[in-house]
Amino acid sequence: MWTLTARLLGCVALALLAGCDMTAGMGGGASEAARGDGTDTVKLAEYPERVFWGDTHLHTDNSIDAFGFGVRLGPEQALRFARGEEVTATTGTPAQLDRPLDFLVIADHSDELGATRRLYDAPRLLIRDATLRRWHDMMHEGPRQSQRAIAELITAAANDKLPAQLRDPDNQAKATEEIWTRHLETIDRFNEPGKFTALAGFEYTLMPDGNNLHRVVMFRDGSDRTGQVRPYPGIDSSAAGLWDYMEAYEKNTGGSVLAIPHNSNVSNGMMFELTEPGGGPMSAAYARRRARWEPVVEATQIKGDSEAHRFLSPNDEFASFGVAGWELGNLPLTRTSTPDMFGGNYVREALKRGLTIEALTGVNPYRFGLIGSTDSHTALATGDEDNFFGKHTGNEPNKDRAASPQNLGTSTGRFGWHYLAGGYAGVWARANTRAEIFDAMTRREVYSTTGPRVTVRMFGGFDFTDADFGGQGWVGAGYKRGVPMGGELADGGKAPVFMIEALKDPRGANLDRVQVIKGWTDAAGKAQEKVFDVTWSNPDKRAMTGGKVPAVGDTVDRARATYTNTIGAKQLRTLWRDPEYRAGQNAFYYVRVLEIPTPRWILFDAMRYKLKLPPEAMKEAVAQERAYSSPIWLVAKKAATTT
Amino acid sequence: MSHWRRLVGEPLVHFLVAGAAIFAVLSWQGSPDDPASRSIHLTREDQARLAVNFAQVMGRPPTDSELAALTGQWLREEVLYREALRLGLDQGDAVVRKRLAQKMDVIAASAADAETPSNEALDQWLNNHADRFAQDMALTFDQLYFTSRGRAVVAKTLLGGGADWIKVGDPVSLPARFDSASRAAVSAEMGAEFARALEDLTPGGGWQGPVESALGWHLVRLRAKEPGVLPPLAAIRGRVEDDWRAETGRERQDAAYRTLREAYRVRIDR
């Protein structure tokens, strides 16, 4: 009897303090292999020979905002869903991925971890702070009011005006400890080396004045190491503080950790500054730390795409994908964005700024790879347009979501239709384990897609030939005599040559074209960029005219939300040598692959719910989904490297 | 006032609710300690319970001083909890009502949580839910990729003449060899039609095809095809136990509710 009572007491107390997941079984503990980093658990391929798909940025009911937005699914359901099982979404709809993911990082906000649930659960009588009491009431009133409460909470956080109660460090530390310990146990139980990888992580939510400087922090290690630390809270800290934490983690545990900046598009120019934070020239030491701890950046997700903006790239006809709505201002829309801020908001410009800073300091702070993620707050890592479960529980499938205002703050301008369906990370690794996935991120052999599982492969070198490229041994040649995406080539006075391949998503749309985006610093030290169309479908009928490849066409039936693969190609390959190479210039090259036009999620909604979308939404109802590779850098002899 | 404000985030507040739930359990169990009395008796068993709870969170037993602190904290909570009940703080609060109802569910399910099911019970569970645990068909094969059917047909002739297979296919970012790949994985990587086509091939040493996939055409050397089997319990005990626990817990909640509900007469005005 005591055993039962003890367990009950433990669970009841935990449930109330920390939100113990009642559905989790206590038995069936994780195996030794599942608790570690996966080293020596599965056979490794000689080279990375397949892409592993995952999401590094998923929120569950442990996130302060996600819970307030209404989600009632926790890490366990999130993991079940990611590995392909059907779960019931918070709003009652059955949810399942078309194809399982290979890995998942649950990245709940470290700040006030579990706090909204504690506020929700607290007896009203004892909540004396007027604001907290109002939020408590709103959360109990219903989903819509709950979402409004969380919007207020995010704005308060952005303005540094959270009630003191919510920020009591002692209470928070205790709650965080309990949630984290339990969370690590859960992911170990789901981590199956070779089959499905569950990595530890959290989101660091730095947000001065509402300008988004968030990072996802991701660990390589098992719970023996990650259990020695707690997620680092940082809403009012600085990125340098986060790096100190990461450095201490590696030093104290012997483990490895990295950070992934995201949503630079709503940072109002602060994510990729030319200066150090707060002004003043960037020092080599600062640049080195940034490059060391942040090897990859999330270039696309539900809250918009951050690759390129037409203001910065006027000659790129495909720039400004997924910027509508998001380009208006910072995260809660409390401050508007002006064009002078765009340079620090978009990834391509950051890669160029990296070269500029390298020319001045000898170190490139922005030598990063690109991945995509969802940033879903529903515990459901959905990335497909026809299976979009919303940014948060308030916009899980329902007839109103596409046209509803979605402002986190009090200004106007963002609507449901501005959300993208979310992206995924493609990872070239030798096996599906924590260590292999993490190490691929570190060496930047990863890429970003806006959802479709397009295969993108790229090798850079100097002596690749048609014979190499045309034979089965091209991958081996790529690794032996060159570098894969994410790598660095030392300039040797010869134009670099690239082996590039794109394969369509086997369950998705054909491909329109493959482009190489080159950035470099010219003789005057000014950063430049150029987009090259390097191979495209139906070249016989689509001859380049005036430097432009004609549009691929459009098969989308707007009334039925369908398309046909009667245009485009299944596979696009090319061996491409930079025709504008100049010796001694620092440069980067990344690949952008475009699919043929397909319906966006709002068109599927319009069909399902028989809606008439507003005209401005209809303009965004069809899109060319895409993939961005990590760059390969050409490093001139004089410049030092970051590694 | 200020100490009340502090209490919101304190475990005490949450413990009021937890306490009410435990009160329900203890009174149902006939606990010797009446929460309404002003006498508190902390037995060795109570202390062991605190230690177990600590160990569950921290992964190690508490030290003596930690246990003393836990005991002190428990005592403080117990006193405040009893006084809160005296003040009637548990009455008329929607959250308390909801949480108590949830706790009843937890109580019903917790027997399943604490129980270690026997091998026989799990074995039966495994066989009764074979569809949940059966492995997918495993396919072991080599594949050569071609951009057109015609090229695949020509290559098949070359292979028949003894050409080195690894040099025959068109280059592609797909593995040439698949070892015991599940049908689902093959379907995800090459398309459903390709996985279906492979199911119909007979394993052997020769090249078969051309087989069409979502990505192009293929010649396939199917080396082994293992049907989806139900693994023995020993191999997947943890998964079966998790599944048993989750579902048994839910069933017990429903059964417990039905039993309680039968004792009520309910009238709902329309």
Side-chain angles (χ1 to χ4, degrees):
Chain A
M1 189 51 83
W2 274 119
T3 330
L4 169 75
T5 316
R7 233 208 75 58
L8 182 64
L9 185 79
C11 213
V12 166
L14 269 177
L16 294 166
L17 295 173
C20 141
D21 187 349
M22 295 296 182
T23 59
M26 298 300 286
S31 71
E32 186 88 31
R35 288 200 303 266
D37 63 19
T39 304
D40 294 333
T41 57
V42 292
K43 192 166 161 273
L44 301 180
E46 187 185 358
Y47 306 114
E49 56 176 27
R50 49 163 47 93
V51 182
F52 296 102
W53 292 102
D55 182 12
T56 58
H57 191 170
L58 180 70
H59 294 270
T60 73
D61 68 354
N62 280 326
S63 283
I64 183 166
D65 54 347
F67 183 91
F69 284 133
V71 74
R72 293 296 178 270
L73 303 189
E76 172 138 358
Q77 288 100 325
L79 287 156
R80 285 188 190 285
F81 180 79
R83 73 178 183 190
E85 292 176 33
E86 182 181 299
V87 306
T88 304
T90 300
T91 48
T93 329
Q96 188 170 22
L97 285 174
D98 174 52
R99 283 163 283 180
L101 292 175
D102 298 306
F103 67 91
L104 181 69
V105 182
I106 293 175
D108 283 311
H109 293 287
S110 57
D111 285 283
E112 276 70 65
L113 195 64
T116 31
R117 182 159 51 191
R118 288 197 299 283
L119 177 60
Y120 179 90
D121 286 342
R124 182 174 193 281
L125 184 68
L126 299 185
I127 305 172
R128 289 305 161 111
D129 182 280
T131 309
L132 287 181
R133 181 181 268 213
R134 195 160 49 80
W135 289 344
H136 170 92
D137 290 347
M138 288 164 83
M139 287 200 297
H140 281 281
E141 206 174 307
R144 201 157 290 241
Q145 282 298 94
S146 181
Q147 284 148 30
R148 210 161 280 168
I150 293 315
E152 284 185 22
L153 188 149
I154 291 170
T155 306
N159 294 329
D160 209 12
K161 286 190 177 128
L162 276 182
Q165 203 91 67
L166 266 188
R167 316 185 73 163
D168 180 330
D170 289 343
N171 287 340
Q172 190 51 50
K174 208 158 148 196
T176 298
E177 165 130 6
E178 282 160 358
I179 295 174
W180 182 245
T181 304
R182 187 159 183 100
H183 180 64
L184 295 180
E185 277 170 22
T186 305
I187 61 173
D188 280 354
R189 275 200 297 123
F190 280 83
N191 186 49
E192 283 182 85
K195 215 170 161 198
F196 180 81
T197 296
L199 296 122
F202 61 86
E203 178 168 351
Y204 162 81
T205 318
L206 180 63
M207 194 165 46
D209 299 325
N211 301 329
N212 185 93
L213 294 178
H214 300 183
R215 271 89 165 162
V216 166
V217 176
M218 166 178 162
F219 296 90
R220 182 181 194 263
D221 312 295
S223 50
D224 54 333
R225 290 194 168 111
T226 50
Q228 296 176 39
V229 293
R230 301 289 161 258
Y232 178 71
I235 206 158
D236 48 9
S237 67
S238 70
L242 174 68
W243 302 335
D244 289 345
Y245 162 87
M246 295 167 73
E247 204 168 318
Y249 170 78
E250 293 201 346
K251 190 160 162 275
N252 296 336
T253 69
S256 299
V257 59
L258 60 81
I260 309 169
H262 69 83
N263 279 119
S264 53
N265 59 339
V266 286
S267 75
N268 270 0
M270 290 181 72
M271 187 63 91
F272 304 118
E273 290 178 303
L274 276 165
T275 61
E276 285 198 10
M282 191 182 290
S283 69
Y286 184 90
R288 199 170 287 119
R289 287 196 94 201
R290 171 110 186 195
R292 164 72 179 84
W293 296 111
E294 304 188 345
V296 283
V297 161
E298 195 181 294
T300 192
Q301 61 131 281
I302 292 175
K303 291 199 308 289
D305 188 288
S306 303
E307 189 231 354
H309 194 283
R310 205 162 283 150
F311 177 81
L312 303 164
S313 307
N315 297 324
D316 179 359
E317 60 185 307
F318 298 101
S320 281
F321 175 80
V323 304
W326 308 106
E327 65 188 334
L328 299 174
N330 62 3
L331 177 63
L333 260 179
T334 47
R335 299 194 180 187
T336 52
S337 299
T338 48
D340 56 296
M341 298 172 177
F342 286 160
N345 276 10
Y346 291 90
V347 163
R348 185 186 301 170
E349 199 65 14
L351 292 168
K352 286 158 65 182
R353 287 183 167 192
L355 299 182
T356 305
I357 296 168
E358 187 175 13
L360 295 170
T361 66
V363 185
N364 182 344
Y366 303 130
R367 188 168 290 168
F368 51 68
L370 310 184
I371 60 166
S373 290
T374 66
D375 195 7
S376 155
H377 283 55
T378 60
L380 307 171
T382 57
D384 292 339
E385 300 289 332
D386 60 356
N387 194 27
F388 178 48
F389 268 76
K391 156 73 183 169
H392 56 71
T393 298
N395 43 52
E396 284 186 8
N398 71 62
K399 67 178 171 45
D400 298 322
R401 65 174 178 169
S404 309
Q406 296 289 337
N407 302 308
L408 289 172
T410 50
S411 314
T412 54
R414 285 181 189 149
F415 295 88
W417 55 269
H418 285 129
Y419 288 123
L420 305 184
Y424 285 136
V427 172
W428 286 103
R430 294 179 300 174
N432 186 9
T433 65
R434 286 173 174 166
E436 289 298 310
I437 299 287
F438 183 95
D439 292 350
M441 297 262 184
T442 307
R443 64 174 189 270
R444 302 172 293 236
E445 199 174 349
V446 294
Y447 63 98
S448 167
T449 88
T450 55
R453 303 195 192 182
V454 177
T455 301
V456 182
R457 190 138 230 195
M458 176 195 204
F459 295 101
F462 298 104
D463 62 356
F464 298 139
T465 63
D466 283 327
D468 291 323
F469 189 53
Q472 290 279 21
W474 72 287
V475 169
Y479 281 109
K480 279 187 201 118
R481 301 194 341 252
V483 295
M485 63 175 68
E488 297 166 25
L489 291 170
D491 182 19
K494 249 177 105 177
V497 55
F498 300 91
M499 301 193 287
I500 301 165
E501 174 173 321
L503 260 184
K504 73 178 281 261
D505 179 338
R507 298 202 191 161
N510 277 350
L511 306 176
D512 164 15
R513 68 183 73 196
V514 174
Q515 303 175 305
V516 170
I517 286 123
K518 178 187 177 184
W520 72 96
T521 41
D522 63 18
K526 199 168 162 3
Q528 305 285 353
E529 68 169 68
K530 185 165 177 179
V531 180
F532 298 87
D533 287 306
V534 297
T535 177
W536 54 94
S537 62
N538 297 97
D540 301 345
K541 291 180 188 148
R542 297 169 72 202
M544 195 185 271
T545 47
K548 268 189 163 186
V549 174
V552 68
D554 182 353
T555 67
V556 175
D557 180 336
R558 264 74 175 167
R560 292 189 178 81
T562 57
Y563 68 95
T564 61
N565 275 331
T566 48
I567 56 171
K570 292 175 176 173
Q571 184 195 35
L572 290 171
R573 308 184 85 234
T574 191
L575 185 76
W576 183 78
R577 189 181 301 273
D578 179 5
E580 299 180 7
Y581 165 77
R582 298 279 177 283
Q585 282 178 349
N586 277 336
F588 64 81
Y589 302 84
Y590 70 89
V591 163
R592 182 169 68 186
V593 179
L594 302 183
E595 281 190 342
I596 63 170
T598 50
R600 282 191 58 224
W601 67 269
I602 49 175
L603 209 53
F604 288 105
D605 265 26
M607 181 196 61
R608 275 181 205 143
Y609 300 115
K610 307 200 180 348
L611 308 174
K612 194 165 158 42
L613 293 172
E616 63 275 20
M618 267 317 280
K619 270 193 269 171
E620 304 280 337
V622 171
Q624 287 189 266
E625 301 291 328
R626 53 199 65 201
Y628 315 120
S629 80
S630 290
I632 289 176
W633 286 265
L634 186 64
V635 184
K637 281 241 171 65
K638 272 173 285 178
T641 65
T642 53
T643 45
Chain B
M1 284 305 278
S2 72
H3 81 275
W4 275 115
R5 199 170 300 167
R6 252 187 58 237
L7 289 177
V8 179
E10 285 284 343
L12 161 69
V13 173
H14 311 291
F15 227 89
L16 287 178
V17 187
I22 291 155
F23 172 53
V25 180
L26 292 183
S27 51
W28 168 53
Q29 290 173 344
S31 164
D33 260 356
D34 176 6
S37 89
R38 281 204 160 88
S39 134
I40 294 174
H41 175 205
L42 192 66
T43 64
R44 298 290 296 170
E45 280 169 319
D46 292 332
Q47 293 165 54
R49 178 163 45 84
L50 291 172
V52 165
N53 190 19
F54 180 94
Q56 276 180 354
V57 176
M58 304 297 289
R60 63 172 174 83
T63 62
D64 285 351
S65 63
E66 281 168 336
L67 187 60
L70 285 173
T71 310
Q73 197 187 2
W74 183 89
L75 191 62
R76 180 175 186 277
E77 284 166 352
E78 182 67 15
V79 169
L80 293 176
Y81 151 65
R82 291 189 187 191
E83 292 306 314
L85 288 184
R86 245 185 276 284
L87 291 170
L89 297 189
D90 56 328
Q91 305 293 318
D93 187 311
V95 179
V96 173
R97 179 177 177 274
K98 186 184 288 181
R99 296 303 294 193
L100 284 176
Q102 284 173 356
K103 290 307 142 289
M104 288 300 282
D105 271 343
V106 172
I107 292 163
S110 66
D113 243 15
E115 192 176 327
T116 305
S118 69
N119 281 336
E120 291 71 41
L122 288 183
D123 216 32
Q124 198 183 347
W125 189 264
L126 173 62
N127 284 300
N128 289 346
H129 301 96
D131 53 320
R132 292 182 200 169
F133 302 102
Q135 282 163 355
D136 203 357
M137 174 184 282
L139 299 160
T140 298
F141 62 98
D142 305 319
Q143 66 84 26
L144 293 169
Y145 173 82
F146 300 92
T147 52
S148 72
R149 189 172 197 284
R151 293 179 59 81
V153 170
V154 171
K156 201 173 177 185
T157 317
L158 291 175
L159 288 168
D164 181 3
W165 74 277
I166 210 76
K167 293 182 177 155
V168 167
D170 290 334
V172 69
S173 288
L174 288 171
R177 294 183 176 85
F178 287 77
D179 285 317
S180 296
S182 71
R183 180 174 36 187
V186 173
S187 170
E189 206 159 336
M190 317 275 273
E193 57 276 67
F194 182 79
R196 266 197 304 275
L198 251 54
E199 273 177 57
D200 295 338
L201 299 184
T202 313
W207 288 97
Q208 308 187 61
V211 177
E212 189 173 13
S213 77
L215 306 169
W217 293 85
H218 307 259
L219 293 180
V220 178
R221 186 160 63 188
L222 185 60
R223 290 187 276 131
K225 183 167 72 171
E226 297 146 52
V229 291
L230 193 60
L233 178 63
I236 53 166
R237 197 177 195 289
R239 256 183 72 204
V240 178
E241 193 174 324
D242 276 353
D243 193 65
W244 173 88
R245 210 180 292 286
E247 197 155 308
T248 307
R250 269 193 301 275
E251 278 166 10
R252 290 185 188 185
Q253 285 173 1
D254 291 346
Y257 171 67
R258 277 195 303 275
T259 309
L260 295 172
R261 174 69 183 76
E262 274 165 21
Y264 283 77
R265 205 155 36 84
V266 178
R267 204 184 69 203
I268 300 166
D269 292 338
R270 302 279 172 198

